[in-house]
Amino acid sequence: MTIPREAIEVDDATIIERSLNEPEAFAVLFDRHAPLLHRYVTRRLGPGEAEDVVADTFLAAFQRRGVYDRGRSDARPWLYGIASNVIGKRRRTETNLYRAYIRSGVHPAEIPGLQVEDGINTLAVNRPLARALLGLKRADRDVLLLVAWAELSYQEVADALAIPPGTVASRLNRARLQIRQVLNQEEQRGE
């Protein structure tokens, strides 16, 4: 199936509305957002879970497209919110990934032969970070990672998680403080 070029150039809300009568139009939304969503989920759960989480996210989005707020032209926050819920159901997987990473120093999302993006996946940075992330409450971790890894704005995170922007700010501040404390402790141990 070939998606008409004009369908690719319209906003997400229009695509979702069109998909109510033409379900195949929803594929444009998938093509537009799945790659970055997959990258985010891979960083949270590893590559073994990413495909399933992304598939479950888009299945849920497709099933709920009738209630999507078409006043929001960008569906990214909505999709990341759904993905956060799916990830939450796999909390044990995320926790185990962090623990394995702390033990081995190798993040499952690292693919041999690919350039590490901006140094984030280096052993020196991520082992302590994995320990710090493991210690966060799920709600705080979700906010922090939606801002840091999904690059959502505070308002987009609020929309994604259905919480007030002030709650996003307080969770993010709490998470950052905890991360700093753990990283400082790690640094002092290493000296």
Side-chain angles (χ1 to χ4, degrees):
M1 174 187 81
T2 303
I3 306 293
R5 182 173 178 81
E6 62 274 5
I8 295 170
E9 295 173 358
V10 299
D11 66 27
D12 294 343
T14 303
I15 292 167
I16 292 170
E17 186 167 350
R18 185 176 297 160
S19 78
L20 294 172
N21 294 320
E22 304 168 33
E24 64 277 359
F26 200 79
V28 173
L29 202 66
F30 181 87
D31 292 341
R32 186 177 286 175
H33 297 292
L36 287 177
L37 189 62
H38 187 275
R39 179 174 168 231
Y40 172 75
V41 175
T42 298
R43 292 176 88 177
R44 295 241 0 218
L45 299 177
E49 297 285 327
E51 292 290 330
D52 290 342
V53 170
V54 171
D56 290 349
T57 297
F58 278 94
L59 176 61
F62 182 79
Q63 291 169 339
R64 296 181 202 158
R65 71 192 190 283
V67 297
Y68 179 76
D69 178 0
R70 287 186 272 301
R72 298 182 188 272
S73 61
D74 184 4
R76 229 171 28 115
W78 180 61
L79 293 168
Y80 278 96
I82 294 169
S84 292
N85 288 334
V86 175
I87 289 168
K89 293 175 184 171
R90 297 165 189 244
R91 182 176 169 197
R92 183 173 294 166
T93 301
E94 184 175 30
T95 301
N96 289 341
L97 179 120
Y98 289 133
R99 286 185 178 133
Y101 183 64
I102 290 166
R103 282 191 310 275
S104 71
V106 178
H107 191 286
E110 290 182 8
I111 301 169
L114 291 182
Q115 186 175 11
V116 176
E117 59 185 78
D118 63 30
I120 291 176
N121 289 333
T122 62
L123 176 63
V125 173
N126 272 333
R127 263 186 157 162
L129 181 58
R131 270 190 204 88
L133 289 172
L134 187 59
L136 294 177
K137 291 180 182 175
R138 178 180 160 232
D140 294 349
R141 184 170 49 239
D142 283 346
V143 167
L144 177 70
L145 297 180
L146 285 170
V147 169
W149 289 350
E151 299 178 359
L152 297 183
S153 69
Y154 284 28
Q155 184 61 54
E156 290 171 327
V157 173
D159 294 343
L161 301 177
I163 58 176
T167 302
V168 171
S170 64
R171 287 181 184 175
L172 187 58
N173 286 335
R174 185 172 45 243
R176 285 178 173 161
L177 178 63
Q178 272 188 266
I179 294 287
R180 265 190 235 110
Q181 288 173 341
V182 171
L183 293 179
N184 285 340
Q185 289 170 355
E186 291 283 333
E187 188 177 297
Q188 289 172 358
R189 275 189 224 149
E191 293 179 359

